Amino acid sequence: MAHESTSANPKVNYEYRRRKARDEMRGQVTSFAMMIFMTFIAFIIVIADFDKFYAFPVLLVLAAAQVVLQLYYFMHMSHKGHGTAALFLYSGALIAFVTILTFLTIVWW
């Protein structure tokens, strides 16, 4: 019992790791394709010279979506063990958003 391995069948463990790596790679390639598409849309908006009151919010939304995809897939924030880093990152983003919203409200009100 003392020398019993935690994995009863190494082939099952290998297949599990291989399937997990394949799924992770599929997610990264999909998010990369989505980011390329969003960048293409942003370029089209700028090149087509859309009205700035339309273009600016759309570009900000596209940029925010790309930041989320970057953090979630490429910075591996979806993995276990990143709870503290995610807490500080998201709380900092919330504080920055509230600060910007406050200053915009003060200036425009």
Side-chain angles (χ1 to χ4, degrees):
M1 279 281 178
H3 298 290
E4 184 178 331
S5 70
T6 57
S7 173
N9 188 352
K11 181 152 178 74
V12 172
N13 190 15
Y14 171 74
E15 290 297 326
Y16 171 76
R17 287 189 329 222
R18 187 169 180 203
R19 188 174 348 109
K20 186 116 171 133
R22 183 188 65 215
D23 291 342
E24 184 175 340
M25 181 62 74
R26 181 179 297 146
Q28 286 183 350
V29 169
T30 303
S31 69
F32 179 72
M34 287 173 31
M35 285 187 286
I36 293 294
F37 179 72
M38 285 188 277
T39 303
F40 180 69
I41 295 298
F43 276 125
I44 296 232
I45 288 172
V46 172
I47 290 172
D49 200 27
F50 280 96
D51 185 28
K52 68 178 179 179
F53 294 109
Y54 167 74
F56 191 69
V58 171
L59 291 176
L60 285 178
V61 167
L62 289 173
Q66 285 193 6
V67 166
V68 168
L69 287 173
Q70 281 281 341
L71 290 174
Y72 191 74
Y73 284 104
F74 294 115
M75 299 303 288
H76 305 289
M77 295 297 281
S78 62
H79 293 176
K80 292 181 181 178
H82 291 99
T84 305
L87 172 71
F88 283 113
L89 182 76
Y90 295 135
S91 62
L94 178 65
I95 290 170
F97 174 74
V98 169
T99 303
I100 291 169
L101 184 64
T102 301
F103 284 124
L104 288 175
T105 305
I106 289 171
V107 168
W108 281 341
W109 204 320

